[in-house]
Each structure stands twice: as C-alpha cells, then as structure tokens.
Amino acid sequence: MNLFLTFQIALRSLSRNKIRSGLTVLGIIIGIAAVIAVMAVGQGATVMIQSQISSLGENLLMVYPGSASTGGLHFGAGTNATLTASDGDAILKESHYVRALTPITRTGGQLVYKEKNWFSGIQGVAPDYPKIRNWKLEKGSFFADSDVKSANRICVIGATVAENLFEDENPVGKIIRIKNMPFRVIGVLEQKGSAAWGQDQDDVVVVPWTTVRRVLQNSAFNDVNQLLLNIDSTSQLESAKKEITEILRQRHHLAPVADNDFTINDMTELSKTVTETARLMTLLLAVIASISLLVGGIGIMNIMLVSVTERTREIGLRMAVGARGQDILLQFVVEAIVLSGIGGILGILIGSGTAELVARVYGWPVLVSAQSILLAFIFSTAVGVFFGFYPAWRASRLNPIEALRYE
Amino acid sequence: MVIHLNQITKIYYSGEIAVPALKNISLVVEPGEFIAVMGSSGSGKTTLMNIIGCLDKPTSGQYFLEEKNVTNLNRNELAHIRNKKIGFIFQNFNLLPLATALENVELPLYYAATRSPDGRGDGNDLPHQSGVSSGRQKRQRANELLNRLGLGHRLNHRPTQLSGGEQQRVAIARALVNQPPLVLADEPTGNLDSKTSHEIMTLFKQLNQDGITIILITHEKDIADYAKRLIYLKDGQVVV
Ligand SMILES: Nc1ncnc2c1ncn2[C@@H]1O[C@H](COP(=O)(O)OP(=O)(O)OP(=O)(O)O)[C@@H](O)[C@H]1O
Ligand SMILES: [Mg+2]
C-alpha cells in the first residue's frame, strides 16, 4: 500500500468524524500558533534592538568615571569627580584613533513655555555631539564652541519636547524656561524613536556641557558624567581602548598597581547584553508556548487511543481482507500526522496572522522567519508521529479474529 | 486451489479449562468445489472456517494451501494470502459503516499493492505486477463488480442506507474484488429473509460455475442444497 493512498484513507476516516478531528486539531493549532507568534515577536524585537544599537553608532566608546572593580558604572555617574573635560581634550589630542569626542553632563529639570510644562532630561554636550550620535537636526542649528566657552543659555530640543511644549508652533527662536532660567531654542533634533532599552531618546534637551554645570547646577566643578567618543572603525576598538586607558592613567597619576578610576564601554557589549536578554526572553516564552503544544500532542494520543478502541472491528476487518500489521500501524500514524500536520499548517497561518496583527495594532516589530515556520511544521509533524505511534502500535498488534469479534 | 487439512486440532483455553473446538480434522478440497458446512451450534464450523481462511492458527496439525504449508507462516505472510487468495464473507456483513458501498469494495485493493510472495511488500504499486494499480482502475474494478451484482445505483450509499441483501452483495463484491480462487462464507444468509437468501445463493452458484471454490456455513438444509458437497461437523469432528 503506498503512502498516497494511506493519506487518502487517513483523510477519509478523519473526515468521518469532523467535530472530534477538528477539536483535536485545535489543540495543535493553539500550540503552534502560540509558538509562531511568540517567536515572531521575539525575533522582531531582537532585530529591532540590533538595528537600533547599530544606528546608535557601532564605533562609539563611552568613558565613565569610577572604576569597574568598585562597581564603576553604578556609582560612577557624578559621585567620583575623576573625569574632566580636559581629559577629553587630551584624548582627542593624543589618541590616534579618536575622530570626535564630546563630554556629557547630565541633569534634569522642569521646562516651561507659556502655560505648558514638561519635565525632561537635560544633556550637556559639545558641538560635535550630533556628528558623534549620527543625529541630524530637523530645524534650526546646533551650538558652536563659543557657546560652550561662555556657557550660553541656548538649547536644542528633542522631538518629544518640541511636541509637548510647542505643538504646531515653530520652536526655533523661542524662549523657554529651564529651571526658571530663560533659554533660547536654536534647533530641533530629528525624531529618533525609543532606544533598545525602552527609553524615549527624543525626550531630551541638549545644551552646552558647561551650561549644565555652571548655569543649571551652579557648580564650580569641572567634571563630566561621561565622555562619548567616536573612533575610526570597530576593528580599532581594542587598540583605542588600550590607548585611552594609558592616556587617562597617566593624566590621573595612577600608580602601576592601582585600579583604573574610570571605565570604558563600547556598544558591542551593550548590543550583546541586550540581544542576549531578548533571546532568553524569546526562549522562555517559546518554552511556555511549547507546553501548549505538548498538551495538544497528548490530545492527539488520547483521541487516537479512543479511535483505535472504537475501530477495533474495522481494524479486524482490514486485517481479514489483507492489511498487515505495518499497514495498520502506518494508517494510524498517518492519521495522527494528518491531524497534527493540519494543525501545524493552520497554526502557522494563525500564528503569523496574530504576529502581523500585533505589528499593525501595537507597532511592535515582528519577524516570521522561514526558519521558525519550518521548525514549527517539523515539530508539529513530529508531535503526530510521537503521540500517534503508541496507539497505532496497539492497533497493529491486534489479532484479526478477536478484533472482528469485538463488540 | 487445493486445500489439504491434516489432523487439524484447535483447542481454546478459557482460564484453566481447555475447550477443544476441532479434533483431528482431515479434509481435502479440490479446486472448483462448492461445499456446505453444517452442524449444530458450537460444533466448530466457524473455527474451521477461520483456520481455512488463515485468520486463525490450529493448535496442532498441518494445513496445506496449494501444496504450501501455511501453518508456519508469519502474520504478514498470512495477510498476503488472505488478500490474494481468499475472499471472506461474514454473517453480519462486516462493512465499514461510514464508508460508501464503493469504498467498502475497494478496501482489499488498497492492500493488494505489489508484494513478493513471502508477504513482504516493497511499497510499490506497479501495474504490471499487481494487476490493479491506479485509483481510477481500482474504482473501475469495484464499480464493475457492484454493477454485476445489481448495485450500480447504490455505489455511494452507506451500509445503513442499504437493505440486508444489498449489504451482503456489497460484502460479496468486496470478497471478489481481488479475484481470489477461494471464497469462504460464514452463514452468509443468516441475517437475510428466504427470498433474498435464495438470490444470494444463486449468485454463489454462478460464481462457482465461473471456477471459484466456495465453502459456506449454513444451518439451513435448502441453502446447503445449492452446494455440490456437504460436510457435517459434530463436536469438532467431521461426521460425513
Ligand atoms: N475465542 C474462544 N474462546 C474460547 N472458546 C471458544 C472461542 N471461540 C469458540 N469457542 C468454542 O469453540 C467451540 C466451537 O465454536 P465455533 O464458533 O466454531 O462454533 P460454530 O459451529 O460456529 O457455532 P455457531 O453455529 O453457533 O456459529 C464452541 O464450544 C465455542 O464455545
Ligand atoms: Mg459460527
């Protein structure tokens, strides 16, 4: 008996009990659809995160004050006044790899324009900042070195801030109050969307870095929260890190045994961490989704066992007219595969549809990869074989006489 | 097709108690014979038929079918013989309730794909070897047979939509579809009225005239009269 006929027979016997077959298939559909949708959303998120990080600039290096071994990052920002703008100048002058550099100082504050209020993060940077971040201006212009030197009260605002304070008005040339001090808006940054870590990058006000310290914080300190710098290519990442470390150690007069009092990070590390987190989340969700597939598989096994018992006489008759054990085995395994295969195909369609819907409604990126479709199909078929085999084997071992006599 | 039973004994065990259903039966059936098996209930008729039909194995003794000792064959080899050499007709018809008349008749054809004589199929379905190959050819063969038995207008009916006589004719068509040389019928008219019974028996008579060996079990003398030879069983032994 050939496989094509076996499929035909399987389809025929399954269609004779449509409701039962349909419900059994439903179990698989739900399982496969859940797996497909979860993987699509997870993979979409991973791809988005990766592209965002690379759009951020793969050639970026970030220098923070504070040593890595004492938890650098975590109490680095602001607590150790170990990193200054002149460190930045020295790096820019002495390093062979650094193309551009900006100190970054941070604070936050209430913004007021007419009767509108908005709280936002305030970032102090140097004029090279847009170049380093690869961030264009939507309107107006960026500030110059002279503005930094004299700590002028001018600012460039992000799209979110522009929207909340100005709505349809053109912000360029307007005066807003930051922490109750008047600042002139000279430009608006292009919309950048939310970052990989979920933060809205457009909710920002950019001012000269000196302005943050001297004007907004009224401080005499000359330290910075971060140095953001751009090297020529990623291949130079390690050499650049080494060189910058040397320059800073020398400038900070660190003894050879002393730890660094600064930390250098690059984007690849961030990219790795974020991608790994996304991958783990996807995996976790996929495991949960697979459990429903397992439940679907047990459903198939259950129905096949019932079916074998119910059709004992049919099996006996088929044997009486010449079916061999393996024909019966194949018939029931194929029936299980047809059930799980149909469930798999419908599940893939419904899962992809759900993912597409999520993409449309929530603007969440999804990616239904050919790989996950293939995997889901193979998996569903395997579920059929696995859970269909035992009932089929039981059927194939029946004795024809006893099967025919079964009531 | 020569059937040769030599000292066949069949003992059933229900718990510790041994129930001998057949005792040392020896029997030769020549090709083209038409035999009626009679005997009281429990005399072993069905048991004998199941052994001849390769559905069951004797406890002892040898069974030769066309000179071949089938007593030692495995399950697959027996399945092959049932498929190719033997057509079975049951008292209760044993049709697949959810399949149409045509599908029921086609059933043995599905298992008739090319097989080597030892019963191991190679999975292929070559026309020059199996005689019946494509789905269309199968359908046609089943179709013709049902037409010949006067059921041309009932092809797509399910068994529940057929009368008893029609159901038995579907079962006969199924038994004949692989053109077996031997047809076995266990009380084929047991569930039919006497008029229909005689129609069915006329059919058997025609088949026998076409050269098919027929063995049938019956309780009724006028049914047995259609046969050319009578075997009478009593307590698992042949008495005539
Ligand atoms: N599976 C079985 N297990 C135990 N004993 C059995 C079994 N099948 C048949 N027998 C016994 O074997 C004997 C012969 O049974 P068989 O079915 O061959 O009788 P029969 O001649 O066909 O009877 P009937 O005319 O009622 O159909 C009976 O005594 C019966 O009880
Ligand atoms: Mg009987």
Side-chain angles (χ1 to χ4, degrees):
Chain A
M1 197 163 74
N2 70 27
L3 217 58
F4 176 71
L5 284 174
T6 313
F7 270 99
Q8 236 181 325
I9 293 176
L11 272 175
R12 214 178 278 166
S13 6
L14 291 173
S15 68
R16 283 179 193 137
N17 211 327
K18 290 195 181 68
I19 292 178
R20 183 200 286 179
S21 303
L23 287 173
T24 313
V25 165
L26 192 63
I28 298 294
I29 291 177
I30 291 171
I32 289 287
V35 171
I36 286 277
V38 162
M39 300 236 299
V41 171
Q43 289 184 334
T46 310
V47 167
M48 179 188 72
I49 288 165
Q50 277 165 344
S51 78
Q52 271 183 350
I53 287 172
S54 68
S55 83
L56 218 57
E58 272 163 348
N59 304 345
L60 285 185
L61 277 183
M62 291 152 289
V63 186
Y64 299 95
S67 96
S69 59
T70 56
L73 270 179
H74 116 98
F75 68 101
T79 50
N80 300 26
T82 55
L83 205 60
T84 63
S86 31
D87 283 334
D89 292 339
I91 291 170
L92 196 55
K93 211 166 79 194
E94 289 169 38
S95 168
H96 301 90
Y97 306 105
V98 177
R99 206 195 310 157
L101 182 144
T102 175
I104 290 181
T105 49
R106 288 197 186 90
T107 183
Q110 197 70 27
L111 315 175
V112 182
Y113 176 70
K114 290 182 181 165
E115 75 282 7
K116 293 211 183 67
N117 270 283
W118 186 251
F119 187 90
S120 180
I122 297 163
Q123 227 172 52
V125 302
D128 269 348
Y129 181 73
K131 191 172 90 190
I132 294 169
R133 287 288 316 268
N134 191 21
W135 202 345
K136 293 190 182 63
L137 284 166
E138 164 101 39
K139 290 188 189 110
S141 56
F142 211 73
F143 46 78
D145 275 326
S146 54
D147 295 310
V148 174
K149 225 167 254 151
S150 37
N152 282 341
R153 296 182 184 188
I154 51 174
C155 66
V156 175
I157 57 177
T160 305
V161 175
E163 202 175 292
N164 282 289
L165 286 185
F166 293 95
E167 288 176 4
D168 299 331
E169 233 178 302
N170 183 358
V172 178
K174 302 279 161 23
I175 304 290
I176 61 171
R177 302 187 77 82
I178 303 176
K179 287 190 165 177
N180 229 5
M181 284 175 265
F183 276 69
R184 192 157 52 84
V185 180
I186 62 164
V188 180
L189 289 163
E190 245 181 16
Q191 183 146 3
K192 226 178 164 121
S194 53
W197 43 94
Q199 179 200 359
D200 180 5
Q201 299 183 85
D202 299 313
D203 190 7
V204 73
V205 174
V206 182
V207 301
W209 67 269
T210 45
T211 308
V212 170
R213 289 286 183 264
R214 286 187 230 158
V215 178
L216 290 171
Q217 294 179 324
N218 198 16
S219 142
F221 285 115
N222 207 20
D223 70 304
V224 297
N225 295 95
Q226 184 188 341
L227 294 173
L228 186 67
L229 47 94
N230 211 329
I231 56 171
D232 284 329
S233 92
T234 25
S235 59
Q236 300 166 344
L237 215 63
E238 287 313 311
S239 342
K241 274 186 180 175
K242 209 184 248 165
E243 199 183 44
I244 292 164
T245 307
E246 276 318 304
I247 294 168
L248 287 179
R249 284 187 70 91
Q250 211 168 6
R251 284 182 56 82
H252 293 184
H253 308 294
L254 296 177
V257 287
D259 286 336
N260 291 342
D261 59 355
F262 55 88
T263 310
I264 306 177
N265 278 341
D266 62 65
M267 278 305 178
T268 53
E269 271 164 42
L270 179 67
S271 162
K272 243 186 266 166
T273 325
V274 176
T275 312
E276 185 63 15
T277 312
R279 209 182 60 81
L280 269 175
M281 277 305 289
T282 310
L283 193 71
L284 188 73
L285 288 172
V287 165
I288 294 169
S290 315
I291 290 173
S292 63
L293 193 59
L294 186 76
V295 174
I298 292 169
I300 286 196
M301 180 134 137
N302 188 21
I303 284 304
M304 291 312 293
L305 279 173
V306 170
S307 178
V308 165
T309 310
E310 258 182 13
R311 285 153 68 190
T312 302
R313 279 173 69 93
E314 174 191 326
I315 295 163
L317 178 78
R318 284 180 186 275
M319 286 177 161
V321 300
R324 297 161 300 172
Q326 64 226 62
D327 293 327
I328 300 294
L329 182 84
L330 195 67
Q331 180 188 340
F332 281 93
V333 168
V334 165
E335 272 185 34
I337 291 176
V338 167
L339 282 177
S340 66
I342 290 174
I345 291 169
L346 291 179
I348 287 169
L349 291 178
I350 291 173
S352 314
T354 310
E356 199 58 41
L357 205 70
V358 167
R360 291 260 170 85
V361 176
Y362 297 101
W364 190 264
V366 299
L367 180 83
V368 182
S369 65
Q371 193 191 358
S372 67
I373 286 178
L374 194 71
L375 206 73
F377 188 71
I378 291 173
F379 205 57
S380 65
T381 313
V383 163
V385 175
F386 186 79
F387 289 101
F389 192 85
Y390 174 67
W393 180 80
R394 288 237 311 216
S396 76
R397 298 313 302 161
L398 287 174
N399 175 312
I401 294 276
E402 280 163 24
L404 274 173
R405 216 182 269 138
Y406 183 86
E407 290 303 330
Chain B
M1 176 129 134
V2 185
I3 293 168
H4 182 189
L5 301 182
N6 184 26
Q7 302 279 318
I8 292 286
T9 295
K10 178 74 184 180
I11 299 170
Y12 288 112
Y13 293 94
S14 39
E16 291 294 291
I17 308 152
V19 183
L22 297 176
K23 299 169 191 161
N24 289 321
I25 289 199
S26 293
L27 183 70
V28 176
V29 180
E30 299 293 342
E33 280 204 86
F34 187 175
I35 299 176
V37 179
M38 295 190 75
S40 59
S41 189
S43 58
K45 303 183 294 296
T46 298
T47 307
L48 177 67
M49 203 67 129
N50 287 343
I51 287 173
I52 294 175
C54 294
L55 278 168
D56 209 352
K57 287 187 168 192
T59 312
S60 69
Q62 289 97 42
Y63 170 20
F64 298 91
L65 195 61
E66 287 176 327
E67 249 99 273
K68 187 174 182 181
N69 189 346
V70 297
T71 342
N72 302 321
L73 298 184
N74 66 28
R75 279 168 64 102
N76 283 354
E77 291 162 335
L78 292 175
H80 179 249
I81 289 175
R82 289 198 296 270
N83 184 252
K84 293 282 175 152
K85 312 272 180 188
I86 298 165
F88 237 108
I89 297 158
F90 305 91
Q91 176 175 359
N92 54 6
F93 322 132
N94 266 334
L95 298 173
L96 297 185
L98 297 171
T100 65
L102 196 60
E103 286 166 353
N104 267 292
V105 176
E106 283 170 353
L107 194 63
L109 296 172
Y110 284 124
Y111 304 108
T114 323
R115 283 181 191 172
S116 39
D118 63 359
R120 275 186 280 116
D122 60 12
N124 263 324
D125 207 4
L126 300 173
H128 61 278
Q129 283 178 344
S130 65
V132 179
S133 138
S134 71
R136 194 154 43 83
Q137 272 173 294
K138 283 191 174 81
R139 197 146 280 244
Q140 202 174 338
R141 166 94 67 85
N143 203 323
E144 275 168 22
L145 214 44
L146 281 168
N147 268 300
R148 224 173 73 203
L149 299 184
L151 287 172
H153 57 303
R154 294 278 186 268
L155 297 181
N156 295 314
H157 286 231
R158 297 201 168 160
T160 45
Q161 301 165 322
L162 297 173
S163 74
E166 285 169 334
Q167 287 184 53
Q168 193 58 298
R169 274 182 286 166
V170 172
I172 292 170
R174 184 181 62 196
L176 296 176
V177 77
N178 266 335
Q179 298 170 319
L182 173 65
V183 166
L184 304 176
D186 191 348
E187 300 190 49
T189 60
N191 283 341
L192 303 177
D193 62 40
S194 78
K195 181 171 168 289
T196 319
S197 297
H198 286 286
E199 282 169 21
I200 295 290
M201 288 316 294
T202 314
L203 196 61
F204 277 122
K205 204 167 169 179
Q206 276 166 13
L207 292 174
N208 179 246
Q209 275 158 9
D210 294 344
I212 297 175
T213 310
I214 296 174
I215 305 177
L216 68 81
I217 295 173
T218 183
H219 282 287
E220 292 148 77
K221 189 73 187 75
D222 54 337
I223 296 296
D225 284 342
Y226 282 86
K228 295 190 244 173
R229 177 178 164 196
L230 185 76
I231 291 174
Y232 201 88
L233 280 187
K234 196 176 179 217
D235 293 334
Q237 281 173 313
V238 181
V239 290
V240 179

